Structures are given as structure tokens and as C-alpha cells.
Amino acid sequence: MRYLVTGGAGFIGSNFIRYIFNKYGADAQVVNLDKLTYAGIRENLAEYEGKPNYRFLQGDISEPADVEEAYKGIGGQGIDVVVNFAAETHVDRSLMEAGSFIRTDVHGVLVLLEEARKHAPRLKKFIQISTDEVYGSIESGSFRETDPLSPRNPYSASKCGGDRMAYAYSETYGLPVVVTRASNNYGPFQYPEKLIPLFVTNAIDDQPLPLYGDGKNVRDWLYVEDHCAAVDFLVEHGQKGEIYNIGGGNEIENIEITHRILELTGKPKSLIKPVADRQGHDRRYSLDTTKLEKLGFRTKATFEEAIVRTVDWYKQNEAWWRAIKEKSAEFKRYYEQQYGKR
Ligand code: NAD
Ligand code: TYD
């Protein structure tokens, strides 16, 4: 299978490419199209550089020329499957500046879909990685794929645009589009701006853990390897024009995760710093995953063991996150703007 993976230098994309190579070896070819924004780290996949079945292409999904080049595949052999992970992904950053979210998460999807039309007879699947955040917040019960969408922040509104555009190209032009809506991921290589890696690395350094509001917001945590397995499963079994929720089945309050991180790093609760809430902070996300289960897929990880593995990874890979937190001027600027006055 010949894959075009976009955003493959980011957290989930790099885990997905590693998953594909581990599972299919030389039978898989992967073109990784990534703009290398602040969140893209080419070295995440250093072990595949120079291999004949891997091609890294620095480029932007909202630039037609970059996308056209990427669809050529490796040595002009073309692409069978597109998996679009590329996105601006951090809610807090979307509250500071939303233009880049529209450009990548909406317009970028359109450019990828337009190029897909040119390769339509050949293309087996176009997987649009959407998010559970497009449904908005839910006080009780769980969202099903047929529920109305009600995104409540600039990130989720942009992702909703990409989600619906991909669906529209399936309905209008018959493209083999599958849309996935996953819940919050955690695991190795997650950029240390998101809750779990930020709190683990701050705890290791005895720095405060800035907990928003009352700390009782709920997220459903999905181990990244389970997410990769689900996407791989849907490349094979996903039906054209269908949407699939991918949940972890681990709904946990932020304060509870914070306590677990402190236990696993051996640090005191006095590091917790309650700070002003995020604007428009979604209270709870929850997914009904019956549709994917009926198709035959189940997640494997339990939160109890996978959070231990995740914390261990950050303990053992300090050089990876210190290169960001201590050497990136962009990260320092962001951190100061986000937390300096909080
Ligand atoms: P990430 O921020 O770690 O990585 C995003 C990657 O996309 C980076 O490598 C970045 O350089 C690249 N990128 C950004 N703009 C680009 C552009 N215009 N052209 C090409 N590349 C570009 O994100 P992630 O957490 O790995 O998320 C991947 C996808 O999964 C996103 O679409 C996100 O919306 C979705 N998702 C994430 C989660 C989560 O919990 N992290 C949950 C559900 C869905
Ligand atoms: P995050 O990892 O940013 O993911 P998302 O907003 O996409 O769900 O945040 C997860 C939860 O943690 C969310 O309820 C916001 C909260 N949070 C904090 O309390 N403090 C922080 O510094 C961050 C980054 C997040």
C-alpha cells in the first residue's frame, strides 16, 4: 500500500507512520508531507530517513503545488491511501490567533481533496482525521456519529469545516472519504503544550502545573497506539462517506489525571496551581463508539497501564522535550503569553 500521510512529523502522525512500518514493513510506502510548523519535528522519524520506502517532503497542505508533488508518491508510483493528520491542533493557541487554523484545517483539507479528485480512480481511501471536539460539550450521555455538530472554539470550528468538506467531496464527487472523530490522545512524542506532556515535564522539573478552572473538566483519553490501530483498521474496513468515533473509554477529570501524574513522578500536590479558566472551556467530551465496535474494532490499552508507559517515556526521553521547552524561543514566547499572567 502506498500512503500519503500529512502531518507525519507531529504527535499522532509520527506514531501512525511508525505503526505502519512496524506492521507492514517493506510492503508499505509512505510519503510524509509536513510543513514543519512549531509542532512538526522531522527527527521524530529519523530511523526511516534514507529508506527507499519513506519520503519526507516539507510542504503545506494548503499549497496546491506541494500537494500535487506529494500525490506523486515515491519515484512517481502514486498514492493509494491519504491520511490527513496535518492541522493546527491546540485550542489555547486558537484563542490567540485563529487564521492559521482556517488556512490549514479548512482550506488545506479542500486542497487535498481537489488533488484527490484528479487521482480518483486509483485512490482507495481518503481518511480525514477529525476530532470529538466538533460535537461540542456534553453534560451527560455520549455523542453518536449522527448527532448535530456544535463546535465551541476556533480550533473545533475549523476542524468541523474540514470534516464537513471531506464529507461533501464524498457525497458530491464520490471520493472514498472516511471521517474519524477521535477523543484526546496521549502517549510518546506529544508536544509539551498539551495537558499530559506539559504536566509530566513540569512535574519532573518541579514547576507549577497550571490547572484551568475547577479542574473538573472531563476528557476521554485514547492511547495513541490504539488510535493508530483504529485508523489502520478503517483504511481497510471503513465505508465510503461514513463517520467513525474513536474513543478510549477512559473518561477522567483533569484533577484526577494531575494527581496520577504527581504520583508517577513522585512530586507533591503543592505543585498544582489553579489558574484562570480557558475561555469557552468545553466541560466534557464523551463518545459512543458502538459503530466502530460493530465493525470489529476494539482498543487494547487501559489508562492505568498506558499512563505509566507514557510518563516513563518522558522520563527516558528528556533530551526530546528539553529541546523544545528549553531551546525553542517560540515555545518560550508561547508559554509566557499563555501562563505568564495567569
Ligand atoms: P500535532 O500538533 O502534534 O501535529 C500536527 C502536524 O501537522 C505537525 O507536524 C505540523 O508541522 C503539521 N502541519 C501543520 N500545519 C500544516 C500544513 N499546513 N501543512 C502540512 N503540515 C502541517 O497534532 P496531533 O496531536 O498529532 O494531531 C494530529 C491530527 O489529529 C490533527 O488533525 C488533530 O486535529 C487530530 N486529533 C488530535 C487529537 C489529540 O488529542 N491530539 C485528538 C483527536 C484528533
Ligand atoms: P488539552 O491537552 O489542551 O486538550 P483539549 O483542550 O483539546 O481537550 O487540554 C486537556 C484538558 O486539560 C482541557 O480540559 C484543558 C485542560 N488543561 C489545563 O487545565 N491546563 C493546561 O495547562 C492545559 C494545556 C490544559
Side-chain angles (χ1 to χ4, degrees):
M1 197 82 94
R2 299 185 168 91
Y3 298 83
L4 167 56
V5 177
T6 69
F11 164 46
I12 307 173
S14 64
N15 275 283
F16 180 73
I17 291 173
R18 186 170 294 104
Y19 181 92
I20 290 298
F21 281 144
N22 283 342
K23 183 164 175 187
Y24 302 110
D27 289 340
Q29 279 189 5
V30 177
V31 174
N32 176 4
L33 174 66
D34 197 296
K35 187 179 178 182
L36 297 182
T37 67
Y38 77 91
I41 301 168
R42 184 171 175 174
E43 295 71 33
N44 285 351
L45 293 169
E47 69 261 45
Y48 304 116
E49 296 274 354
K51 296 251 160 69
N53 57 341
Y54 177 67
R55 177 182 177 204
F56 179 81
L57 199 60
Q58 181 168 4
D60 187 333
I61 62 163
S62 61
E63 287 292 338
D66 293 350
V67 169
E68 188 182 351
E69 181 59 33
Y71 272 81
K72 289 181 185 160
I74 296 179
Q77 294 181 75
I79 294 296
D80 305 312
V81 172
V82 178
V83 186
N84 179 32
F85 289 102
E88 290 294 338
T89 62
H90 194 31
V91 174
D92 290 324
R93 288 185 188 251
S94 79
L95 305 179
M96 296 171 177
E97 180 278 316
S100 61
F101 288 72
I102 296 287
R103 277 192 296 281
T104 294
D105 303 9
V106 185
H107 186 68
V109 180
L110 174 69
V111 172
L112 285 171
L113 289 163
E114 272 299 309
E115 189 62 26
R117 285 180 67 194
K118 298 186 196 157
H119 302 268
R122 154 96 186 252
L123 209 61
K124 292 197 178 70
K125 211 77 38 99
F126 184 112
I127 311 262
Q128 170 60 17
I129 305 292
S130 186
T131 165
D132 63 353
E133 304 196 22
V134 297
Y135 294 113
S137 191
I138 189 165
E139 285 294 323
S140 60
S142 302
F143 285 119
R144 287 187 307 174
E145 289 84 352
T146 46
D147 283 331
L149 304 183
S150 187
R152 300 181 61 253
N153 62 59
Y155 162 67
S156 51
S158 305
K159 289 296 293 185
C160 185
D163 176 315
R164 293 297 76 197
M165 192 62 80
Y167 178 75
Y169 269 60
S170 166
E171 291 292 301
T172 311
Y173 303 113
L175 282 187
V177 169
V178 165
V179 175
T180 66
R181 296 183 183 146
S183 59
N184 285 63
N185 281 222
Y186 65 107
F189 296 101
Q190 187 168 28
Y191 197 81
E193 64 186 356
K194 305 279 165 60
L195 176 76
I196 289 182
L198 178 70
F199 279 20
V200 171
T201 57
N202 277 15
I204 290 172
D205 278 346
D206 299 303
Q207 293 299 309
L209 311 188
L211 189 63
Y212 299 161
D214 64 2
K216 293 193 169 172
N217 299 65
V218 172
R219 297 292 182 265
D220 167 25
W221 293 95
L222 171 67
Y223 190 56
V224 66
E225 208 173 301
D226 275 331
H227 188 186
C228 294
V231 172
D232 173 51
F233 176 86
L234 287 170
V235 165
E236 180 77 21
H237 301 286
Q239 298 298 303
K240 181 164 96 64
E242 293 294 320
I243 300 153
Y244 299 92
N245 288 343
I246 308 174
N250 299 297
E251 287 181 30
I252 310 177
E253 288 182 353
N254 294 337
I255 180 73
E256 206 183 309
I257 296 210
T258 307
H259 287 154
R260 190 74 191 110
I261 287 171
L262 289 169
E263 275 167 21
L264 291 170
T265 50
K267 299 295 165 114
K269 285 188 181 164
S270 55
L271 282 183
I272 299 172
K273 182 181 174 197
V275 297
D277 208 354
R278 174 187 279 172
Q279 288 171 293
H281 195 173
D282 286 338
R283 191 63 169 168
R284 176 172 172 264
Y285 297 139
S286 180
L287 290 177
D288 181 323
T289 55
T290 311
K291 186 172 176 181
L292 185 57
E293 279 157 24
K294 278 199 178 143
L295 205 60
F297 180 83
R298 273 180 207 282
T299 54
K300 287 194 181 134
T302 64
F303 187 78
E304 291 70 31
E305 53 93 15
I307 189 69
V308 174
R309 261 192 281 159
T310 301
V311 172
D312 281 347
W313 189 86
Y314 287 93
K315 285 181 186 166
Q316 286 156 18
N317 290 276
E318 286 201 11
W320 183 85
W321 54 266
R322 287 197 190 283
I324 298 164
K325 291 182 86 174
E326 292 169 13
K327 298 194 185 113
S328 159
E330 196 285 334
F331 184 87
K332 287 182 183 173
R333 252 195 325 272
Y334 162 75
Y335 200 83
E336 178 53 32
Q337 190 181 348
Q338 177 64 15
Y339 299 105
K341 294 191 193 72
R342 238 179 165 120

